[in-house]
Amino acid sequence: MLRIYQNTYRRTARKAVVYSTKVVCCNHSTLCNITMQPRRKGAGGQWEQHHSRNHEHYLLAGNQARGWTIPPHSRGYGMFVVRILKGALKLRYLVLGGAIGGGVSLSKKYEDWKEGLPDMKWLEDALPQSERWSQFSRNLIEVGSVVKNAIDIAKEDIKSKATVAALGIPVDESRKKYEKLQSQVETLQTEIMNVQIKYQKELEKMEKENRELRQQYLILKTNKKTTAKRIKKSLIDMYSEVLDELSGYDTGYTMADHLPRVVVVGDQSSGKTSVLESIAKARIFPRGSGEMMTRAPVKVTLAEGPYHVAQFRDTDREYDLTKESDLADLRREVEFRMRASVRGGKTVSNEVIAMTVKGPGLQRMVLVDLPGIISTMTVDMASDTKDSIHQMTKHYMSNPNAIILCIQDGSVDAERSNVTDLVMQCDPLGRRTIFVLTKVDLAEELADPERIRKILSGKLFPMKALGYYAVVTGRGRKDDSIEAIRQYEEDFFKNSKLFHRRGVIMPHQVTSRNLSLAVSDRFWKMVRETIEQQADAFKATRFNLETEWKNNFPRLRESGRDELFDKAKGEILDEVVTLSQISAKKWDDALTTKLWEKLSNYVFENIYLPAAQSGSQNSFNTMVDIKLRQWAEQALPAKSVEAGWEALQQEFISLMERAKKAHDHDDVFDQLKAAVVDEAIRRHSWEDKAIDMLRVIQLNTLEDRFVHDKTEWDQAVKFLENSVNAKLAQTEETLAQMFGPGPWTRFAQWKSLTPDQQKRRSVKGELDKILKNDSKHLPSLSYDELTTVRKNLQRDNVEVDTDYIRQTWFPVYRKHFLQQALQRAKDCRKAYYLYTQQGSECEVSCSDVVLFWRIQQVIKVTGNALRQQVINREARRLDKEIKAVLDEFSEDEERKAQLLTGKRVQLAEELIKVRQIQEKLEEFINSLNQEK
């Protein structure tokens, strides 16, 4: 049962009629909210209910239901509104879905279009920066304000002039003011015009640069797309690489470089360089008035390309031959390389300068420009210049497959030519010679036409040639471009009376263009005829070298100098790492030993002996304190650093020596390792601040004068005894050399004393008497003692002077003193407790033990400080020095060739080189066959 609780009638925003009612559900006595709306048409006027709970409520259909009435006039109106609303909702969903789909599709299209656009980041560099544009805008605004102010001033002046006239002010004064203002306005206008012109020029310049950059970008992008698909070298580039490999090839076999190339030869200033430039279509070589400019062979590889550029073999820079600035840079670089190749006072060099020239319409070939042949030397030339040029020219022309481009100056008498005889010696049948007559424009004025006809027909010179050509290499102007020279050449041959006469010369024998085509055709013909033979020769050489390697080094791989150097570098750096792994105790022992080795002589000669021979214990201690302090402030720190550096060096060298004893040691590295270590040690120096630090430590240590315990006392006594014994052994060795062998040695080894040794023995006998009588004798002899010794010796017929006696006295007394020092050290072994109770007043004199204890403590603290510096700093610094030396050696091919030597290295280098050449030849042959 349902009971109506509340009726609600409302109209929605879309004018749809909705009826709501609140009823009480009889089943569960809850208040339910029921919304009623009309059903679709034809439902018999029933109303559909929507209940907020999961209960099924039904209302009876009809005009009334339990006391409430549904308005009958609203039923049709409601159905109509619902249908309109339904259609509108469908249309909205269609529009919304279409908009979303279209937006996604449009976004995808935009991204594809954006990716297809060229990279415009280059505009950021090409266009002016925003700050520059802002400054330009501010300048224009300022100019506008100045003009406005000038105009306002002019207007005010006109008004003031009228006012002046009205007020009766003198006209002259007002006119002066007006003229002054007018001049100011004109000045401002002029400045404005200059500024506008300046910025207009800047804008035009920037726009032009932007257009050029945009054009270059598009061209490069197009080329990138076309060349990315096929990264393939041209035939001439491949062939040029083979020739470059051969230029550094040096073999012990009878293998020679017989690959074809065009050799350009001629007398000096005959125009051979100009002919080569005409073929290359660029003025790429330096010039001088009568001076020798070509000082070394220049190998020029000509290839066809989209841009006219030049590049050296060993650099990445490309010179744009269409720009005069790049041409000037290229000529300067060529001249610099030529002068740099000439060393040791020479005038010419055999070192090849290799470059590549590419450009539209260039004929593919390899040309070698040689220094011009001279007949007379000047005072600034080396004495062997003439012979060197002849030998170099013969060397290149002796190649049986070289094409000889013989250049003859047409403006001089043919009998003065030096090159024709030389060419005839190398190619008597003329099977590979092309004759070129230059400066024909001058020859037309000077020579007989019949004579020129004989030259170009091969009837004047005894030499023979494949072809004869006439060219014009310019008008003698340095600034003429290749285009101007070629145009002049064409005009000359068109208008020349000499070549219009019938039968003088054929048209195909003139112009540089025809010459270039003929040389290129002959070059490639020679290449095709001989390349297979050359490849077979290198293949046979490779087989012989591989066989010799297998017979001599069957278990080793062919490692060249570069690979061996890298292996040696790794081993040296491994030894440096091992240096940092040495134990602290080993470092302490090595540093202590090296320190005492460096300091012992100074301690004995400058501190201990002078103080011990002073005569009393108090003076001994005073003198020791003074000398120790002076020593610590001056020489001791530097000597300590020197000892530390030598200890570091000694340990590193010992590691390298131990590495040599390993079973896998390769002695081919020994010379290189020794050179690297020596160079690194020579460069390495200890840090300067270490000396100051050691000085402070050593001064503080020497201030302590009291031995603290029995162990240190015993160590000091032992240190004193060992030091005195070592010094005593040196003294006895000196005495043995001075006095000769003893009786038993003379008897056993059949030796005898020299007269000087006999005299020394006589002097020693007298000196021993003095020391026996006075065991505490002073270190020097008095005058009376010297006189007594000399007179006693005279009785035995031994004549000596006082200096001779003093020289003998010094080692004798030294031995006597050291023996007494040893006895005192033995007496002091058990005197420690007596020393601690009585101090310096001790009955047993142990001051020398205290001195050596102080020195021992200084050596300990110094060794500890040096060890820390070695481990923390110096080993790493030495590592850096070694790496720097290795990097320098790796770039120095001559140094590597000197340090990595032997048959194994030379055979491996030759085998690797021949293998590279043979592989490049086979690659070139395959490409050549494909082109056919």
Side-chain angles (χ1 to χ4, degrees), residues 84 113 219 229 351 456 655 717 731 755 801 812 864 913:
I84 292 175
W113 174 77
I219 292 173
K229 297 179 181 178
E351 186 176 337
L456 295 177
L655 287 175
V717 171
T731 304
D801 55 9
V812 171
N864 185 39
K913 196 75 172 179

Side-chain angles (χ1 to χ4, degrees), residues 77-78 99-100 197 287 290 311 368 442 650 677 791 839:
Y77 177 73
I100 294 172
I197 292 171
R287 276 170 171 73
Q311 182 179 5
V368 181
L442 301 177
Q650 184 177 346
V677 172
K791 289 182 178 181

Side-chain angles (χ1 to χ4, degrees), residues 168-183:
I169 300 174
V171 179
D172 294 337
E173 184 179 351
S174 63
R175 183 175 297 172
K176 290 180 181 179
K177 293 182 178 179
Y178 174 75
E179 291 176 353
K180 182 179 180 181
L181 292 173
Q182 189 175 7
S183 64

Side-chain angles (χ1 to χ4, degrees), residues 10 147 192 210 266 289 357 475 490 509 574 624 661 669 710-711 739 789 849 910 915:
R10 61 186 174 87
V147 175
I192 291 169
N210 289 338
S289 56
V357 178
R475 293 174 286 184
E490 292 179 3
Q509 290 182 272
D574 289 342
V624 163
K661 299 177 181 178
F669 304 135
K710 182 69 167 56
T711 304
F739 301 129
V789 170
V849 175
E910 193 167 1
R915 188 177 292 156

Side-chain angles (χ1 to χ4, degrees), residues 397 419-429 461-464:
M397 290 194 302
V419 69
T420 52
D421 293 338
L422 199 60
V423 171
M424 190 172 60
Q425 294 175 12
C426 297
D427 186 24
L429 300 178
F461 295 113
M463 63 166 287
K464 301 182 182 300

